[in-house]
Amino acid sequence: MVAVQTVNATLPLVSGGWSAEKDFKAVGALSGATQRNLEPVGPYFLAHARRARHGRTFSEDERIQAQNTAKKTEEDENDDISDSEDAMLLSREAKDWKSQDHYAVMGLAKHRWRATPDQIKRAHRKKVLRHHPDKKAAMGDRDENDQFFKCIQKASELLSDPVRRRQFDSVDEAAEVEPPTKKEAAAKGKFFKLWGRVFESEARFSKIQPVPLFGDDNTTQEELENFYNFWYNFDSWRSFEYLDEDVPDDNENRDQKRHIEKKNANARRKRKTEDITRLRKVLDDASSQDERIKKFRQQARAGKDKKRLDKEAEAKRLAEEKEKARLEEEQRKKDAEEAAKADREKNKKAKEAAKNAAKKNKRVVKASVKDVGYFAEGEPSAAQVDSVLTDVDLIMGKLEAEDLASLAERLTAAGKDAGAVKNVYVEEVKRLVGAGKLKEGEAKSFA
């Protein structure tokens, strides 16, 4: 950047007595004048041609150009705030501002509660350019009715105030979207679009943002449950103050003022209750038509049926295993009983056989002493027979079955040799005495 430098210089003073008439000297001369034709170019040529074509004066042309510029400015303003103005809208009375559609007055009917503060400002500027009384007069409109302009001012004032705008939005029926009928929603590809618009419209009243979306056919069960849970517990900021009856500002009739305030409060509560009921009905209609709910219920039912069938199958398997175990246990007990019975029979037979063998062996033992005449010389006496048999019974009483069989076997081998038989008894007595089963000298016949 070039720096600017200021130089202070003082011009030389004119010498005293200097005058232009006598002291000025020309150092050159001007050439003679030459006449030439000049033509306007650029915008100046266009302005000249326009005036010449229409026969306008400069002031007339400037006024018409100003009007065209203003009109072009209006048209260049965002087309999204250029709603048409019908005769009924233009004929509105300013005193009926409370019943008018402020968004329609401002040209924002298709935006409504979505309109930004910047759009509201631009819409107001555009409406003022078109309907200002001075502007109308400049355009030759001598109609002095400025009611619609007052409506514009009132709409701009209300929509620019966030609190008052919310009050109006709370009762803006034109922004409501009617729920589709069952037939309309059943049309192919229409269900999610139509119901989505309804809940998008209702979502503007939610204190909690963002609001769950209605979704589509790909919505998960968890998302769908969250959606309906949110809406069935919807927390709305709608308060309906905009519809309140005007409260008188004077302080003369306080009772009347309190009466109107109480009446307004009751009306708000009633409208709030009616709005909650209305929204519940909308939800009931939507859920009754929502095929996703039916699909998830069928899936849940199928899952429950599968669990039930699996549970029944498991119970059946356990019952079969239990029955099998019972039958096996019964068979085991039966086999055990049969085996025990067979053992008992076998033991019984063995015992009987042993008993019979023991009887036989006892007969052999008793017969052995009888065959040798009870060890007597000649005919034995009764006392002698009794003594020998008593000792034989004593010995047999001390013997086990095996020992008795061994004794009988040896006695059989001894035959009728009295000495050999007696020796067999003597040896057996000695064995029993040695085993502690007999006392010394207890079997006297074989001592």
Side-chain angles (χ1 to χ4, degrees):
M1 182 179 293
V2 179
V4 179
Q5 184 176 4
T6 304
V7 179
N8 296 322
T10 304
L11 296 175
L13 297 174
V14 179
S15 58
W18 186 89
S19 67
E21 291 79 6
K22 65 184 184 66
D23 296 324
F24 176 75
K25 293 180 181 180
V27 295
L30 295 174
S31 61
T34 303
Q35 186 174 358
R36 298 182 182 277
N37 293 325
L38 299 178
E39 293 183 0
V41 296
Y44 304 102
F45 170 74
L46 296 176
H48 168 74
R50 186 174 56 248
R51 287 193 299 271
R53 179 182 179 185
H54 297 287
R56 299 172 183 167
T57 64
F58 275 90
S59 60
E60 288 175 340
D61 188 65
E62 287 178 356
R63 178 176 60 81
I64 293 173
Q65 284 299 105
Q67 292 175 356
N68 292 337
T69 301
K71 183 177 181 180
K72 186 174 185 302
T73 301
E74 293 179 13
E75 293 173 351
D76 289 343
E77 287 284 351
N78 244 338
D79 289 336
D80 59 357
I81 52 175
S82 58
D83 292 347
S84 61
E85 298 172 342
D86 55 26
M88 184 175 294
L89 182 66
L90 295 174
S91 64
R92 297 289 308 210
E93 294 287 336
K95 64 180 181 180
D96 298 329
W97 65 269
K98 203 163 189 178
S99 61
Q100 76 181 18
D101 185 346
H102 299 290
Y103 287 113
V105 170
M106 296 292 287
L108 298 169
K110 66 180 180 181
H111 290 281
R112 312 202 75 81
W113 56 274
R114 299 184 187 86
T116 64
D118 181 62
Q119 286 176 321
I120 294 172
K121 289 180 182 178
R122 288 189 285 113
H124 177 246
R125 182 168 63 250
K126 181 175 180 179
K127 291 293 182 179
V128 168
L129 284 172
R130 181 180 298 175
H131 296 283
H132 196 284
D134 294 341
K135 173 67 179 301
K136 288 184 176 181
M139 295 180 68
D141 187 354
R142 299 301 178 184
D143 185 6
E144 297 181 358
N145 184 6
D146 61 348
Q147 289 296 311
F148 187 66
F149 181 74
K150 291 179 181 180
C151 290
I152 294 172
Q153 295 301 94
K154 190 65 180 180
S156 175
E157 177 188 345
L158 186 144
L159 296 180
S160 299
D161 185 338
V163 176
R164 297 180 66 192
R165 181 184 178 185
R166 172 168 276 208
Q167 292 175 357
F168 175 70
D169 288 340
S170 178
V171 298
D172 185 10
E173 296 181 356
E176 296 178 358
V177 178
E178 286 295 323
T181 63
K182 191 172 183 180
K183 184 177 181 180
E184 291 172 341
K188 187 176 181 180
K190 295 287 187 178
F191 178 80
F192 297 111
K193 181 179 179 181
L194 295 177
W195 277 109
R197 289 172 54 196
V198 172
F199 288 106
E200 181 184 0
S201 173
E202 296 292 339
R204 70 187 190 273
F205 301 123
S206 176
K207 291 182 180 179
I208 302 173
Q209 296 289 343
V211 175
L213 300 178
F214 188 64
D216 51 28
D217 200 37
N218 297 320
T219 300
T220 65
Q221 183 175 1
E222 181 180 2
E223 291 172 341
L224 190 64
E225 289 176 354
N226 290 338
F227 173 84
Y228 281 106
N229 288 338
F230 178 89
W231 282 96
Y232 273 110
N233 297 280
F234 190 72
D235 190 5
S236 173
W237 52 258
R238 297 186 78 176
S239 53
F240 304 96
E241 294 101 329
Y242 190 82
L243 301 177
D244 284 355
E245 182 180 340
D246 292 335
V247 179
D249 295 332
D250 57 10
N251 296 324
E252 296 180 1
N253 194 343
R254 295 183 179 179
D255 292 339
Q256 177 68 11
K257 183 177 180 180
R258 282 195 293 268
H259 171 72
I260 295 176
E261 289 176 347
K262 184 177 180 181
K263 182 179 178 182
N264 287 336
N266 291 334
R268 290 180 202 166
R269 283 193 294 269
K270 182 180 178 181
R271 293 188 182 102
K272 187 77 171 179
T273 302
E274 291 173 349
D275 186 60
I276 293 173
T277 304
R278 177 194 63 82
L279 183 58
R280 287 294 178 91
K281 185 179 184 307
V282 169
L283 284 167
D284 292 340
D285 292 343
S287 61
S288 65
Q289 300 172 22
D290 200 335
E291 294 294 333
R292 297 172 298 179
I293 296 178
K294 298 177 183 178
K295 178 181 70 174
F296 291 134
R297 284 177 179 172
Q298 289 174 354
Q299 291 176 354
R301 192 178 302 113
K304 289 181 179 179
D305 290 343
K306 185 177 182 303
K307 289 182 180 179
R308 178 179 58 79
L309 293 174
D310 291 343
K311 187 177 181 180
E312 290 177 356
E314 180 65 14
K316 183 179 180 181
R317 184 185 65 80
L318 293 175
E320 289 176 350
E321 290 182 353
K322 185 176 181 181
E323 180 65 16
K324 182 180 178 181
R326 186 186 67 79
L327 293 175
E328 289 178 350
E329 180 64 18
E330 289 182 355
Q331 186 63 36
R332 186 188 63 78
K333 289 181 178 179
K334 183 177 179 180
D335 294 342
E337 289 177 357
E338 290 179 355
K341 183 178 180 181
D343 290 341
R344 287 195 299 271
E345 292 292 333
K346 184 178 179 181
N347 291 335
K348 182 178 180 182
K349 291 179 179 179
K351 286 181 180 179
E352 289 179 354
K355 186 177 180 181
N356 293 333
K359 289 180 178 180
K360 180 180 179 182
N361 290 331
K362 286 181 179 179
R363 287 197 298 270
V364 171
V365 172
K366 288 184 177 181
S368 64
V369 295
K370 180 180 179 182
D371 290 343
V372 295
Y374 301 103
F375 307 109
E377 297 290 340
E379 187 68 24
S381 63
Q384 193 174 11
V385 171
D386 184 63
S387 175
V388 172
L389 290 177
T390 299
D391 290 338
V392 170
D393 289 337
L394 179 61
I395 292 171
M396 287 191 299
K398 302 296 183 181
L399 297 176
E400 297 294 335
E402 293 80 0
D403 295 334
L404 181 60
S406 176
L407 177 62
E409 184 178 356
R410 283 180 289 156
L411 290 173
T412 301
K416 295 183 179 181
D417 185 350
V421 171
K422 190 169 185 178
N423 288 334
V424 171
Y425 279 110
V426 170
E427 291 175 359
E428 187 63 24
V429 169
K430 289 180 179 180
R431 189 185 70 78
L432 292 173
V433 171
K437 293 182 178 182
L438 279 180
K439 295 180 180 179
E440 188 71 33
E442 190 173 1
K444 297 177 180 180
S445 300
F446 306 110

